[in-house]
Amino acid sequence: MKPNTPFSNTELYDRGIRTLIASWEAFAAGSAGAGVRRMPGATAAIFPNEPERSVFNNAVLNGDAPAASAIDAMKAAYAGAGVTHYAAWVHERDRELRAALEQRGFILADSTRAMGMSLLDLNLPRPDIDLGSLTWSEYAPRFGLPDGLLSNADHSQLHPLFACLDGDIAATALAFDRDGDCGIYNVTTLDHARRRGLGTALTTIHLHDAIARGCLTASLQSTQMAERVYAAAGFRDLGLIFEYVPSDATAEGTH
């Protein structure tokens, strides 16, 4: 199917990255000592304290400055905050940045596929499923996230949705809007409820809700397993995002 969108793949990718960074800025406002550092060639989310420390220490490298200087600035920013484990995100097309990271001892730890769509291309009806609700203090432990995560964030910006199976909440997805782009994050289904279409349903509801809020596009990062599901809703493949971590990092985690 030919897309109905005025947005190119590059524009969709850039919109999605800007939404992601804006979400980090919103989360940092509710986490002690946290912030987002914008440097030539790199934007780093810096969360020095738990529980956010274990989740949100990520940086986007974009090729807008020499690779060596961007990497050095990122490393210095995290070192200055006492953060030893973080992930540097690089698009697959940025071969120079990837090579420079590897030369400096970074290790490829994971990858996700950037996906984006014009909401004009939404081709699925709004699903009719059983939706439930959780308080924010109930949300994190239910879905395997650190206790207290984002407890001081502005939750009104997050648009959480929860799907029920047999009367019990079994899946979730969050949405965050920035300048007409709806970023969809943390699409999670509990093990016993997988392969029931709950994640697809929640994502589709978010897309319909985003249209109602006036959004024009949507963005997300997909695992390999979920790529076909998102493509069926109208999302396009925008390329892999490679996640590199320092080889001498401690056992802290990032997501």
Side-chain angles (χ1 to χ4, degrees):
M1 182 182 69
K2 184 177 179 180
N4 298 313
T5 174
F7 298 97
S8 69
N9 283 7
T10 297
E11 289 170 329
L12 287 173
Y13 178 78
D14 289 344
R15 286 172 70 85
I17 290 296
R18 288 195 294 268
T19 301
L20 179 69
I21 291 170
S23 76
W24 292 342
E25 289 176 323
F27 301 158
S31 181
V36 173
R37 287 276 306 276
R38 297 174 183 268
M39 302 159 281
T43 300
I46 302 173
F47 290 80
N49 295 301
E50 296 291 0
E52 290 77 23
R53 180 185 178 107
S54 298
V55 178
F56 293 115
N57 280 306
N58 301 300
V60 176
L61 301 179
N62 57 31
D64 289 344
S69 62
I71 294 169
D72 288 346
M74 174 189 69
K75 290 175 62 177
Y78 281 115
V83 174
T84 57
H85 190 94
Y86 52 92
W89 294 15
V90 184
H91 194 276
E92 63 179 334
R93 67 174 173 260
D94 292 324
R95 294 184 177 87
E96 181 182 351
L97 274 170
R98 291 164 53 195
L101 284 164
E102 291 166 5
Q103 289 168 3
R104 283 164 171 74
F106 283 76
I107 298 171
L108 179 60
D110 201 356
S111 67
T112 58
R113 188 164 298 281
M115 303 189 80
M117 65 181 289
S118 165
L119 292 173
L120 291 173
D121 295 332
L122 178 59
N123 52 26
L124 297 177
R126 184 184 180 91
D128 182 14
I129 62 169
D130 184 13
L131 295 176
S133 62
L134 290 176
T135 66
W136 194 261
S137 63
E138 294 169 328
Y139 163 72
R142 173 67 66 93
F143 291 100
L145 298 170
D147 190 29
L149 184 73
L150 300 180
S151 60
N152 295 316
D154 180 359
H155 302 149
S156 68
Q157 299 184 72
L158 298 180
H159 307 295
L161 289 175
F162 303 100
C164 295
L165 179 67
D166 299 327
D168 192 32
I169 290 173
T172 186
L174 304 179
F176 178 92
D177 297 347
R178 183 233 181 239
D179 286 353
D181 181 69
C182 173
I184 298 175
Y185 308 123
N186 289 49
V187 181
T188 307
T189 302
L190 299 182
D191 288 345
H192 74 277
R194 289 182 178 172
R195 302 188 183 278
R196 306 292 186 94
L198 296 180
T200 303
L202 289 177
T203 300
T204 306
I205 292 172
H206 269 310
L207 296 176
H208 283 274
D209 288 351
I211 292 171
R213 295 193 299 269
C215 290
L216 301 175
T217 61
S219 57
L220 52 79
Q221 290 83 49
S222 176
T223 62
Q224 184 176 5
M225 183 182 303
E227 288 174 22
R228 290 185 180 180
V229 171
Y230 295 131
F235 281 92
R236 284 187 271 161
D237 175 5
L238 306 179
L240 286 172
I241 297 175
F242 291 109
E243 301 179 19
Y244 287 86
V245 299
S247 59
D248 58 351
T250 65
E252 296 177 80
T254 53
H255 299 276

